[in-house]
Each structure stands twice: as C-alpha cells, then as structure tokens.
C-alpha cells in the first residue's frame, strides 16, 4: 500500500507538534564570551543534552553574561529564574571561603595537581551546593594564572599603586598584599576597563588575555602558575528533581564528557594563547626570581588566611588532597 506524500507530511508534522509539546527549553546563562573555551564546551554540552534526550530538554546557552551577569548567575539558578548555568566557583568566596579552595596560591599549580585537588574537593562542594538548592554537574579548570601589566615588573615593589582587576576574594587580597588597588571587573568587561584605564593589571590565564585581546592595552605577561581556578555548571535542584531518571542519566553522561573535553581544551589552550599574546606584541615570560620568591611569601600568608576562614571543610579538602599524592 502506498501513502500519499501529503499524508506522510501531515503525519510527521503532527508527530513534531506532539514532540514539541513535551519539550522543555533550558536557558543556560554563562559569564564568559562565546569565543572562550568554556563557552565552547558549554555549547557542546548543550547539544549533547538536546540530542541525547531526543529533544525532551533543549539547552540554549547565553554566553558573555547576556542573560545574567556573572555575579548574578548562581542566585538566578538557586531561585529558579534560570534552570541551569555556569559560573566561576571561587566567585562565591565572599559567601563562604571554602568556594575559594582552587584559588589558594601555589597549592595546585599544574593540571595534574588541579585535577587531584578537584577530586579532593568534589564531595564537599557537592554537599555545599546541594544545601543551596543546586546540583553540581561538571567543572573545568582555567589554565594556570599569571600576571598582566603595562610595564616591566621585577618585584612586588614595582606593583605599588597599580589599579588591579580582581575576579574573586583571593585576587583582591593579592592586590592588597602587593600594594595594588583592587577593582572587581567581570572578564566580559576587561577590554574596556584596560582601554579606559579603570584597571592596569590583572592576574588571569593566557586564555582570558587572548580572548579579550589585552595586547591592545597591556604589554607584559609573567607566568606565575599561582593556581588554576574552575568554572562549574549547576542545575536548580527542583528542576533536577522533576527531570526523568533517563534524562538525568543523559545529562550526567554529557557532563562527564564536557569535563573531560573542557579540561583537554584548557591544556591545549595554555600554549596556544600564550603564543597568541606574543603574536599580539606582548612580552611573555616566567616571572623573575625575586618576584617569584616575594609572591611565594605572600602566597603563604594567603594560604594561612584561607585555611583559617574555610574552617573544617577547608581542612578536610587539604587533607584529602595531601593524602592523594
Ligand atoms: N579567567 C577568568 C578567571 C580565571 C581566568 O583565567 C577571569 O579572568 O575572569
């Protein structure tokens, strides 16, 4: 028996409509620009979920802080204004010091150590987020952090009075301890901040400097490898609870792949973006010995301060990390 094409078309149109009626759209706010590797990873994760759930859940990413600004993303998800989103984990250090476990100076300075530190911290962070109505899905490290300036810097004394862009409590504290003036600015806005002189220096990865074309304003990048902070993706717990087990499994699988692929990208990007800064005309080199050793001292002060403020949770993370060596 032959079906008439028109009938087939009508039937498939009906199926599509029926499918669409059940589909949910999850808007996913992200703080960093679309060209950033975290945003690329998030976009792939979104596609993976949309495909894997057969279109039941369609995740739509909104990079560059376009839906919610970085500082507002976690609250938006906790309160259900958005079902899912990505944020810099240590950005929450101001509400609980434990969130800054990945920004303790010189605790984990390589991708391998950062991975061990994350394994050590994951149970604590999962519980902490759960208590805040959030389900942790995946976390990806930024490349190692170094210092950006618009002049040659060989010692902490050379930093005095510089306007320093910060992105969490640790970076603001670093500014204070080195005699600089911290000003908190989201990555999405740094090109303008440097161009207008609102900020003149920062600690960040080659990836962020490359992504924001900072060579238009800055001249030097010093590799310090002070820490590798993480972005993470979270879902509202009520939304998660209403998601079928089959779809939860798909989302978890996509999240594992995203963590793996994002980490791989971060590693690849480390050298690529430092070369990109060079191609932009910047001087890129290891911090000199004096600067390194002065920063180590400041790092020791910051580590002690963090341990004190992060209490028992912080202590357990460090113990688990040391035990994993
Ligand atoms: N880039 C982000 C956080 C760490 C990084 O490498 C930023 O500068 O905001």
């Amino acid at each position: 028996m032959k079906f008439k094409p028109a009938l087939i078309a009508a039937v498939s149109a009906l199926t599509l409509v029926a499918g669409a009626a059940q589909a949910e759209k999850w808007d996913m706010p992200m703080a960093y620009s679309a060209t950033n590797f975290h945003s690329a990873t998030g976009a792939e994760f979104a596609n993976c979920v949309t495909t894997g759930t057969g279109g039941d859940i369609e995740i739509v990413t909104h990079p560059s802080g376009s839906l919610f600004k970085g500082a507002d993303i976690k609250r938006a998800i906790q309160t259900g204004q958005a079902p899912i989103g990505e944020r810099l984990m240590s950005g929450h250090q101001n509400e609980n010091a434990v969130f800054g476990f990945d920004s303790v100076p010189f605790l984990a300075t390589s991708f391998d150590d950062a991975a061990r530190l994350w394994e050590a911290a994951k149970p604590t962070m999962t519980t902490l987020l759960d208590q805040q109505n959030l389900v942790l899905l995946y976390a990806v490290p930024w490349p190692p952090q170094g210092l950006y300036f618009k002049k040659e810097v060989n010692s902490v004394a050379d930093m005095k009075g510089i306007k320093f862009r910060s992105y969490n409590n640790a970076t603001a504290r670093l500014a204070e301890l080195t005699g600089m003036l911290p000003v908190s600015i989201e990555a999405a806005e740094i090109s303008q901040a440097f161009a207008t002189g609102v900020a003149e220096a920062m600690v960040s990865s080659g990836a962020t400097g490359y992504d924001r074309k900072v060579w238009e304003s800055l001249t030097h990048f010093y590799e310090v490898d002070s820490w590798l902070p993480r972005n993470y993706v979270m879902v509202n717990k009520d939304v998660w609870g209403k998601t079928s087990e089959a779809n939860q499994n798909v989302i978890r699988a996509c999240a594992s792949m995203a963590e793996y692929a994002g980490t791989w990208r971060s590693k690849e990007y480390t050298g690529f973006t430092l070369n990109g800064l060079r191609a932009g005309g910047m001087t890129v080199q290891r911090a000199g010995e004096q600067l390194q050793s002065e920063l180590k001292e400041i790092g020791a002060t910051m580590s002690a301060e963090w341990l004190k403020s992060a209490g028992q949770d912080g202590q357990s993370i460090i113990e688990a990390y040391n035990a994993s060596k």
Side-chain angles (χ1 to χ4, degrees):
M1 186 175 131
K2 278 190 187 161
F3 289 108
K4 289 208 169 91
L7 182 62
I8 295 173
V11 169
S12 32
L14 271 179
T15 325
L16 275 180
V17 170
Q22 288 160 6
E24 276 179 45
K25 182 178 164 221
W26 286 10
D27 285 311
M28 177 167 165
M30 307 180 85
Y32 297 91
S33 69
T35 52
N36 186 271
F37 73 94
H38 285 292
S39 304
T41 303
E44 270 180 14
F45 164 76
N47 281 340
C48 177
V49 171
T50 305
T51 310
T53 62
D56 276 0
I57 298 171
E58 186 203 356
I59 299 187
V60 180
T61 57
H62 300 271
S64 288
S66 57
L67 195 57
F68 289 98
K69 290 209 177 305
D72 301 327
I73 290 176
K74 175 158 161 283
R75 175 132 305 269
I77 298 158
Q78 278 179 286
T79 56
Q81 290 170 273
I84 188 167
E86 184 197 57
R87 179 61 180 150
L88 180 74
M89 195 171 259
S90 58
H92 317 316
Q93 235 181 325
N94 51 357
E95 52 171 276
N96 183 340
V98 181
F99 282 115
F101 76 91
D102 62 14
S103 302
V104 176
F106 308 114
L107 177 64
T109 60
S110 65
F111 279 99
D112 285 352
D113 284 353
R116 284 195 304 109
L117 181 58
W118 175 231
E119 286 311 313
K122 211 189 279 181
T124 306
M125 304 325 287
T126 303
T127 307
L128 204 60
L129 291 167
D130 179 79
Q131 288 160 355
Q132 301 190 346
N133 203 34
L134 296 168
V135 176
L136 169 69
L137 284 186
Y138 71 85
V140 170
W142 288 91
Q145 305 291 289
L147 289 165
Y148 286 89
F149 294 104
K150 53 200 279 188
K151 65 170 190 179
E152 188 181 320
V153 168
N154 296 310
S155 67
V156 165
D158 290 345
M159 299 182 193
K160 203 168 167 52
I162 290 178
K163 285 179 259 173
F164 187 78
R165 175 258 168 171
S166 65
Y167 61 71
N168 63 13
N169 281 16
T171 52
R173 186 71 182 128
L174 177 68
E176 284 167 8
L177 290 170
T178 49
M180 297 191 287
L181 310 166
V183 40
S184 162
I185 302 167
E186 285 292 325
E189 272 128 41
I190 58 176
S191 309
Q192 213 194 338
F194 290 134
T196 56
V198 169
E200 309 161 297
M202 67 171 173
V203 60
S204 192
S205 56
T208 288
Y210 177 79
D211 187 48
R212 303 286 81 206
K213 298 189 172 58
V214 299
W215 54 82
E216 289 173 358
S217 309
L218 308 180
T219 54
H220 288 73
F221 178 77
Y222 292 102
E223 291 169 70
V224 174
D225 300 348
S226 53
W227 59 78
L228 290 81
R230 271 171 196 267
N231 278 7
Y232 75 108
V233 170
M234 69 201 108
V235 186
N236 174 285
K237 202 163 129 184
D238 307 319
V239 170
W240 185 252
K242 287 188 197 122
T243 303
S244 72
E245 202 186 328
N247 285 340
Q248 284 184 358
N249 289 340
V250 169
I251 295 171
R252 288 273 186 216
C254 292
S256 299
M257 286 195 284
E259 184 161 314
Y260 181 85
T263 304
W264 182 84
R265 278 197 185 98
S266 191
K267 289 177 188 171
E268 290 290 302
Y269 240 53
T270 304
F272 173 80
T273 55
L274 293 185
N275 284 334
L277 296 179
R278 282 189 190 101
M282 293 185 74
T283 303
V284 176
Q285 61 193 37
R286 290 246 138 232
E289 264 176 40
Q290 184 182 348
L291 183 55
Q292 283 276 12
S293 71
E294 289 173 347
L295 289 172
K296 288 261 155 71
E297 267 179 48
I298 286 168
T301 305
M302 288 175 63
S303 305
E305 288 175 353
W306 181 79
L307 258 182
K308 205 166 165 213
S309 51
Q312 190 50 52
D313 277 346
Q315 189 67 40
S316 350
I317 292 174
I318 300 297
E319 277 164 18
Y321 174 60
N322 289 335
S324 72
K325 265 185 193 149

